[in-house]
Amino acid sequence: MKLTKTLLASTALTVAAGGAIADGHMASDMTLVSWGGAYQQSQINAYATPYSADTGVTITWDESSAEAVAKLRAMNEAGNITWDVVDVVAADALRLCDEGLAMEIDADEQLAPAPDGTSASDDFGDLLVGDCFIPQIVYSTTFGYRTDMVPAGVEAPNDICDVFDLETYPGMRSLEKRPINNMEWALLCDGVAKADVYDVLATEEGQEQALAKLDTIKDSVIWWSAGADTPQLLADGEVFIGSTYNGRLFSAIVEQNQPIGMMWDAQVFDLDGWIIPTGLSPEREARALDFVYFATDTQRLADQAKYISYGPARLSSAPLVGQHETLGIDMAPHMPTDPNNAANTFLYNYEFWADYRDDIDAKFQAWLAQ
């Protein structure tokens, strides 16, 4: 689904003028969907508040990104799309695009060029992984642990397989209530070479192998669904170690001074960005496109990195990222892409999960219920 040339030109002109006057072809309110917590607050600070100030648009937030695929399927079936722009991981964007639930985007016509005139497609480069996906950030899922709960005489955890070592590192763990990442880590810690993980996971035997490894710690796991859960569980001392997004841990450690350490080993790199649902009215679609044009330009993505330790998806944004907006600290050492943190990363295969997610999800949820 594309904007008419008239509405597209109107969108571009509105943004070029700073969006100070809401165009008559655009809706005056919109619902954005994200993940809550420190990440959503970075979005509010970096572009939602400035966008509302420029345009007068009222923005309502929904924190349902973790259930975006299921909810958009249900909305589409009911013929009632209540969301305007949805923040999703790349694999979910591919699924939604394949199912016709997200609109295709022409990056060079519908997204802002870099300040030097470089096209959006060149500025985003390889991060434009799908026809419907508008990248925002590079982030990682990694582990935080309570520094004051490390057993005496033992090194702090620094290997992904320490998560599975209940003898050396006793205590509860927190893991996301989905197969993604957990299955990969389980195979790595059951002797599968990094390069072979997805080949193994594509088989029934490999899936059973991963679940069997997870079985060894299942009774010591609290399962989380929201990105804010693990930082809170760590802050409350309910878990010793838990997975979450690196930016959430940054907020807990640096901004809240919690006794939490970062374990970067086998951190899983991933992409996060926007999709626009299909089935919007022309006015809502125009507003959604106007917003993503603004929210994913070079300056706005750089601004977001001032509030949370996620790398901006545009090449042109990186030089504009410096210190934390309020703390005045250099953000580079806290980025998952910093060489000191990226010594042993695991590259998330979004194409694999776009193909296998529904089947492995069903198997994983059945395993959880056992």
Side-chain angles (χ1 to χ4, degrees):
M1 185 183 297
K2 303 288 185 183
L3 275 179
T4 65
K5 289 185 178 180
T6 301
L7 285 181
L8 186 58
S10 174
T11 298
L13 286 172
T14 301
V15 176
I21 301 174
D23 188 273
H25 292 299
M26 299 185 199
S28 59
D29 55 60
M30 63 190 310
T31 298
L32 305 182
V33 185
S34 191
W35 304 85
Y39 176 59
Q40 186 170 303
Q41 190 59 51
S42 75
Q43 295 175 306
I44 292 169
N45 292 342
Y47 39 80
T49 296
Y51 184 77
S52 291
D54 284 351
T55 63
V57 170
T58 300
I59 293 177
T60 300
W61 288 89
D62 186 312
E63 300 179 4
S64 299
S65 282
E67 294 83 39
V69 173
K71 290 195 172 186
L72 281 170
R73 285 171 176 166
M75 289 181 191
N76 184 69
E77 187 172 340
N80 182 28
I81 311 298
T82 60
W83 295 345
D84 296 286
V85 184
V86 186
D87 184 303
V88 292
V89 295
D92 284 349
L94 292 177
R95 297 164 76 199
L96 291 166
C97 202
D98 288 345
E99 295 177 27
L101 301 178
M103 67 177 285
E104 293 187 9
I105 297 294
D106 184 329
D108 290 338
E109 289 200 30
Q110 294 170 308
L111 302 178
D116 66 358
T118 298
S119 68
S121 59
D122 286 341
D123 205 19
F124 284 109
D126 292 341
L127 302 191
L128 287 170
V129 297
D131 293 335
C132 305
F133 182 63
I134 307 166
Q136 286 179 80
I137 58 161
V138 178
Y139 73 97
S140 77
T141 302
T142 190
F143 283 84
Y145 60 90
R146 283 286 298 222
T147 55
D148 57 351
M149 292 171 65
V150 176
V154 175
E155 282 189 10
N158 58 19
D159 185 294
I160 185 61
C161 299
D162 292 341
V163 175
F164 294 88
D165 186 353
L166 292 171
E167 182 176 348
T168 306
Y169 300 99
M172 297 296 291
R173 280 81 169 116
S174 60
L175 296 173
E176 189 171 6
K177 196 176 182 179
R178 65 175 190 169
I180 293 174
N181 300 334
N182 296 321
M183 303 284 271
E184 290 95 322
W185 287 324
L187 290 178
L188 285 174
C189 294
D190 203 45
V192 176
K194 185 188 295 188
D196 297 333
V197 163
Y198 286 110
D199 289 337
V200 172
L201 196 54
T203 68
E204 292 282 338
E205 295 80 9
Q207 294 160 22
E208 293 300 327
Q209 181 182 354
L211 292 175
K213 183 64 174 179
L214 288 168
D215 258 329
T216 65
I217 60 170
K218 185 178 182 182
D219 291 342
S220 298
V221 173
I222 296 174
W223 300 97
W224 62 266
S225 298
D229 290 348
T230 287
Q232 190 61 56
L233 289 168
L234 288 167
D236 293 343
E238 293 188 38
V239 299
F240 164 62
I241 192 168
S243 68
T244 190
Y245 313 122
N246 74 282
R248 302 302 182 106
L249 292 170
F250 168 83
S251 179
I253 296 167
V254 178
E255 297 176 344
Q256 301 169 27
N257 295 313
Q258 296 286 346
I260 297 172
M262 292 277 279
M263 189 184 75
W264 292 102
D265 187 55
Q267 61 167 320
V268 181
F269 276 2
D270 199 358
L271 307 175
D272 197 275
W274 300 112
I275 62 98
I276 298 173
T278 53
L280 301 181
S281 68
E283 294 79 15
R284 289 175 63 198
E285 185 180 292
R287 176 58 66 195
L289 281 164
D290 190 67
F291 173 77
V292 297
Y293 188 106
F294 176 91
T296 61
D297 72 11
T298 294
Q299 186 62 58
R300 247 52 63 175
L301 293 185
D303 287 347
Q304 185 176 2
K306 297 177 183 178
Y307 298 99
I308 198 162
S309 56
Y310 296 143
R314 281 182 179 265
L315 291 173
S316 61
S317 298
L320 303 181
V321 177
Q323 295 184 330
H324 190 280
E325 182 71 11
T326 56
L327 299 178
I329 61 171
D330 184 3
M331 291 296 286
H334 301 282
M335 295 289 176
T337 49
D338 185 79
N340 291 323
N341 302 331
N344 182 35
T345 61
F346 188 89
L347 301 179
Y348 174 78
N349 189 326
Y350 47 83
E351 292 177 338
F352 172 89
W353 282 110
D355 291 339
Y356 286 88
R357 176 73 183 273
D358 287 340
D359 289 342
I360 297 181
D361 257 348
K363 182 173 291 189
F364 185 79
Q365 296 304 323
W367 170 80
L368 277 179
Q370 291 174 356

